[in-house]
Amino acid sequence: MTTVTAPATPRERVARLAAGHIAALQRGYLDDQPHAVAALARLRRGAGREAGQLPDLWALIDTGPLHETPDGARPLSENELIRAEDALHVALTLYALHQQSRRTGMYQADRPGRRRGLGAAVRRMMKPGEIDEPVHKRLVRAGTAPDLTVLAQRLRDIVVLLRREDIELDHAQLAGQLYTWQWPGGADTVRREWGRSFHAWHGKPTDGKSPSAGPDTTSTTEIDKDAS
């Protein structure tokens, strides 16, 4: 029996491309390769700014694979390409800011048992069992951003805090979310994902016992509620 694999969605293609770019940059930076160090320095200048404001960065973010058509897939439309390119710009520039002066990789993939999504990263800045309202409000404000430019600026503020605390983030996953954000109804989808990520991470209790495997009784849509 032949298994047919569905072609990657545009969002998946954005996330995979971001993962490839960021992983390569991270390896080079941690190995002190001059080209990677210089590339991150240039990318940092774009954090929180629109993609078109810094033409100098265009050569650093190779979007060529987005213009290719994988087997079984369709070409991306002009609107899809624009949103994909903008999402990549924001994700890569935020990663460059996050990695600055850190000698361990700030990009880590999100997976079960090792949550590195945005919501989980914000939660890790808080003490186990407590909600730090000023930090939580930053996530809420990001969730209520009216457009991608404002969202990038608010995410920049969060990334600065994550860098200060040496907390990793899945920037590739974030790239896919930024792509989705730009479509009608996409912001609601991404807010729900951030809410689930926020509540999926459990810190080590102060008594040294393992976190409870029971369900979290707090709603995963808290971000939406706070934003209303």
Side-chain angles (χ1 to χ4, degrees), residues 36-145:
V37 174
L40 261 64
R42 290 166 61 190
L43 284 167
R44 279 196 298 273
R45 295 191 293 112
R49 302 174 66 178
E50 293 184 18
Q53 290 182 327
L54 294 173
D56 176 55
L57 302 185
W58 294 350
L60 292 178
I61 304 176
D62 180 12
T63 59
L66 296 175
H67 295 266
E68 301 170 358
T69 306
D71 292 342
R74 60 167 177 77
L76 298 183
S77 68
E78 184 67 17
N79 283 337
E80 288 172 329
L81 286 170
I82 291 171
R83 287 166 169 78
E85 291 165 356
D86 287 347
L88 284 168
H89 168 84
V90 174
L92 266 68
T93 55
L94 288 175
Y95 163 72
L97 177 66
H98 198 174
Q99 189 63 59
Q100 183 180 15
S101 301
R102 293 296 178 266
R103 303 314 305 169
T104 58
M106 290 294 99
Y107 161 60
Q108 299 291 333
D110 178 71
R111 58 181 183 270
R114 190 176 176 83
R115 294 299 180 187
R116 293 297 182 267
L118 181 66
V122 170
R123 185 63 179 268
R124 290 176 66 201
M125 287 192 281
M126 306 177 188
K127 294 180 179 179
E130 298 181 11
I131 299 295
D132 185 320
E133 283 303 326
V135 173
H136 183 244
K137 287 297 183 183
R138 289 184 180 273
L139 182 61
V140 173
R141 288 188 72 245
T144 58

Side-chain angles (χ1 to χ4, degrees), residues 25-33 99 102-105:
L25 285 168
Q26 183 161 274
R27 285 193 299 270
Y29 182 82
L30 296 179
D31 288 341
D32 286 322
Q33 296 177 8
Q99 189 63 59
R102 293 296 178 266
R103 303 314 305 169
T104 58

Side-chain angles (χ1 to χ4, degrees), residues 138 141-142 144-146 149-158:
R138 289 184 180 273
R141 288 188 72 245
T144 58
T149 300
V150 175
L151 176 58
Q153 293 167 352
R154 294 178 181 178
L155 289 175
R156 185 187 189 280
D157 294 339
I158 292 175

